[in-house]
Amino acid sequence: MIHLENISFTYPKSSFSLAFSSLKVEAGTHVALIGPSGSGKSTLLNLLSGILLPAQGDIYIHEEKITGKTEAARRAFRLDKIGMIFQSFALLQYINVENNIMLPLLLDGQPITKALKERCRELLKSVGLEGMESRYPAQLSQGEQQRVAICRALINNPKVILADEPTGNLDHKNATSVLDLMLQQVRISGATLIMSTHDRSLFSKFDRVVDINELTRESI
Amino acid sequence: MKNWFYLASQYIRFYKTRSVLLLTCLSIITCLPVGLRTLISHYQNELENRAQSTPLILGIRGHRFDLTMSALYFRTSLERSTTMEELEKLNKTGLVKTYPMFVRQTSNHIPIVGTTIDYFDFRDLKPSSGTLPMLLGDAVLGARAAERLGLDAGSHIISDQTNLYNLASQYPLKMNVVGVLQANGTADDDAIFTDLKTTWTIEGLAHGHDDLAKKEQQQNILSRDENNLVANANLTPHIEITPENIASFHFHGNESDLPLTSVICVPKNLKSATIIKARYKLSKTAQLLSPESVISELLLLVFKVELLLHSSFLLVGAATAALLGLIVMLSIRLRKDEFNMLHAIGCSRKTVAGIITVEWIVIATVSLLVSTAIIMLVLYAAPNIGRLM
Ligand SMILES: Nc1ncnc2c1ncn2[C@@H]1O[C@H](COP(=O)(O)OP(=O)(O)OP(=O)(O)O)[C@@H](O)[C@H]1O
Ligand SMILES: [Mg+2]
């Protein structure tokens, strides 16, 4: 279970503020985070991942209190326990697909074992990129690159996946297929998914839709 | 740490052009001042050693540097010369041991040094093959000269023609290579040694009256009068000294007028050194030099130029350091998206800094290795570079 309580956040030198009394997400659910541009979707995801720290309130991810951790500890937690997917600049251009997928492990100083390579191979196969381990990102289409990014988010078997408009740069057909692949993988791993999106046609694919405007209005 | 190195090396490998350019720039920057310093100190040592091993030199009054370079390094550019008469005067004092030299001609652009057999003792030069030059027309090659010419004892060399357009002036002399000297790491390795008389013969001061009169060469002579032979243009005529004609070679005029470019003098002791130096201070015709002081004068000049160079290197170095800082800054800014992504997935600051640092350490280390290799190569080639200069 993911639990946020009495959150209040403001950026320095900015009038924007995000405040709400409570948000609970059951483990294993798939949540779409919606709201107009500038409403604070990315901000909320960054609070969940520990990139940002709220001025007030507590955030628990599966019993771990994120808000009580130091910056370094939040990074370590993120690297190990959370799968992150972004809208753009997903991959490093100078390492191949396999190493891009292994990146969280490489950055953690972990050795790349045979079992990990096998897992990487299976993940690639499941997103329809079988045998593309040694390609470089520049040799893939945008949709294919985003599918590699999904594999990277999944390599550690994280219990939480945070995705900030992962299909935002893709055309509708590609967006649907990438999302389907992502949901399929998340379902297999049993992880909780929180994904921000603008695309109304995708809402039906989620267990729950959270409108960030409603969330903050309730708490006033 | 291992993974930092892996990621850094992947980056260096992927952006090859950038890496090679950076590497080249860094190598050149480190190479230039260090290489120049090493090269200069190499030459400085060489010059000083040679000067210290040559106590005094006598020559005609005038250019101190020309005389020193002629006596020590066999530069053939010293046009004016002293005479055998001066040598006689010097010997009569009984204060010094003398080694006369005549250095003006070349063979294959290698200087021909006319001297006496004592010179080899003085420089501790021993033949590695063959013998020392004993007869008129004998030549012995310095070690590197022999290597360059690919010749050994038993072969021949021909002196270079000084004036190609005046065939009547003097024919080149064909000399017998009777030996090759052991290398001693000085200018002696790059010279050809003969007897004084041989160089005078090349100079046209000695004649053998049947020079070109050999039967098999008759057809090459177009005309002949009292003083000149005119040779057919399609052969390179030369004088050759043979057992049959050696006796016929003789000098015209007074022997005391025969030229010497320099005389190396070794004083018997400190007292005789002082006396002889004082005596030649007043001479109108000759000068007695201490090569050591001439060379230190020269080095002072070199040092001043070097100082100038180094201060400019310092400025260039400071500008380069600033530019390098800018390059590092820009390349980090260029990778801002990448680092943001790494932070976002939870990579620690230490790891990001580590990857960048390792990348620059690798580039700096490789450049240092490259420039060290270049400097070693330059030092190895230094004697050959010196010969070109
Ligand atoms: N680093 C920052 N410093 C100051 N203000 C910021 C910063 N990042 C975002 N903001 C502001 O916070 C507000 C919310 O931004 P946020 O990125 O969370 O919106 P979003 O819902 O993700 O929008 P979009 O759908 O366009 O991605 C915006 O008004 C923005 O101007
Ligand atoms: Mg956003």
Side-chain angles (χ1 to χ4, degrees), chain B residues 213-352:
Chain B
K214 281 176 156 184
K215 285 216 170 64
E216 69 269 29
Q217 287 188 354
Q218 284 291 3
Q219 72 265 31
N220 293 326
I221 296 164
L222 298 178
S223 70
R224 178 169 196 163
D225 61 31
E226 193 71 357
N227 302 310
N228 296 325
L229 295 179
V230 178
N232 190 327
N234 59 23
L235 97 166
T236 14
H238 53 259
I239 305 166
E240 188 172 355
I241 296 164
T242 60
E244 294 83 50
N245 72 3
I246 189 163
S248 76
F249 276 83
H250 58 278
F251 291 90
H252 293 268
N254 219 330
E255 190 166 338
S256 60
D257 290 338
L258 286 167
L260 294 172
T261 46
S262 61
V263 180
I264 292 175
C265 309
V266 182
K268 302 247 153 83
N269 51 44
L270 209 67
K271 192 175 152 207
S272 42
T274 318
I275 298 171
I276 198 88
K277 275 192 225 167
R279 203 173 285 181
Y280 273 90
K281 245 179 202 138
L282 301 171
S283 169
K284 286 208 168 58
T285 49
Q287 62 178 338
L288 195 68
L289 293 177
S290 155
E292 209 176 337
S293 63
V294 175
I295 291 294
S296 43
E297 205 179 326
L298 192 81
L299 286 177
L300 210 69
L301 212 77
V302 172
F303 184 67
K304 276 181 188 159
V305 173
E306 204 202 343
L307 216 66
L308 211 74
L309 273 175
H310 274 287
S311 49
S312 69
F313 276 140
L314 220 67
L315 283 176
V316 171
T320 314
L323 275 175
L324 269 176
L326 192 74
I327 292 172
V328 174
M329 239 173 64
L330 284 178
S331 70
I332 288 173
R333 188 166 299 176
L334 215 65
R335 295 170 72 180
K336 209 177 140 209
D337 285 343
E338 174 190 338
F339 296 139
N340 281 341
M341 186 272 278
L342 292 182
H343 284 311
I345 67 170
C347 173
S348 71
R349 285 183 200 284
K350 197 179 107 194
T351 303
V352 172

Side-chain angles (χ1 to χ4, degrees), chain A residues 36-43 45-46 87 164-165 196 198:
Chain A
S37 180
S39 57
K41 299 185 294 295
S42 298
T43 308
L45 285 170
N46 286 343
Q87 179 171 352
D164 196 355
E165 296 187 55
S196 71
H198 276 122

Side-chain angles (χ1 to χ4, degrees), chain A residues 7-80:
Chain A
I7 299 298
S8 159
F9 174 85
T10 49
Y11 284 107
K13 293 181 215 158
S14 162
S15 59
F16 175 82
S17 77
L18 184 71
F20 56 90
S21 55
S22 176
L23 174 65
K24 284 181 182 168
V25 176
E26 292 296 328
T29 45
H30 305 159
V31 178
L33 192 60
I34 63 161
S37 180
S39 57
K41 299 185 294 295
S42 298
T43 308
L44 180 56
L45 285 170
N46 286 343
L47 285 168
L48 280 165
S49 64
I51 293 172
L52 297 173
L53 202 62
Q56 279 173 33
D58 290 318
I59 300 170
Y60 299 86
I61 291 180
H62 296 316
E63 270 67 67
E64 287 226 41
K65 189 180 171 187
I66 300 297
T67 40
K69 291 179 186 287
T70 62
E71 215 244 13
R74 294 201 305 273
R75 280 172 188 269
F77 180 80
R78 185 156 75 239
L79 189 63
D80 193 33

Side-chain angles (χ1 to χ4, degrees), chain A residues 51 71 75-76 78-79 84 86 89-95 99 103-107 109-110 136 152, chain B residues 3-4 6-8 10-11 13-15 335 337-339 341-349 351 355:
Chain A
I51 293 172
E71 215 244 13
R75 280 172 188 269
R78 185 156 75 239
L79 189 63
M84 303 282 290
F86 315 99
F89 207 89
L91 307 176
L92 296 186
Q93 298 298 305
Y94 56 89
I95 53 178
N99 285 322
L103 194 62
L105 304 160
L106 284 170
L107 295 173
Q110 292 181 35
Y136 280 80
R152 183 184 64 200
Chain B
N3 290 344
W4 296 358
Y6 177 74
L7 286 170
Q10 288 291 306
Y11 188 84
R13 262 185 49 191
F14 190 81
Y15 298 106
R335 295 170 72 180
D337 285 343
E338 174 190 338
F339 296 139
M341 186 272 278
L342 292 182
H343 284 311
I345 67 170
C347 173
S348 71
R349 285 183 200 284
T351 303
I355 294 168

Side-chain angles (χ1 to χ4, degrees), chain B residues 121-134:
Chain B
D121 261 350
F122 170 60
R123 292 289 190 206
D124 202 21
L125 288 165
K126 293 182 181 68
S128 64
S129 72
T131 61
L132 294 173
M134 299 301 200

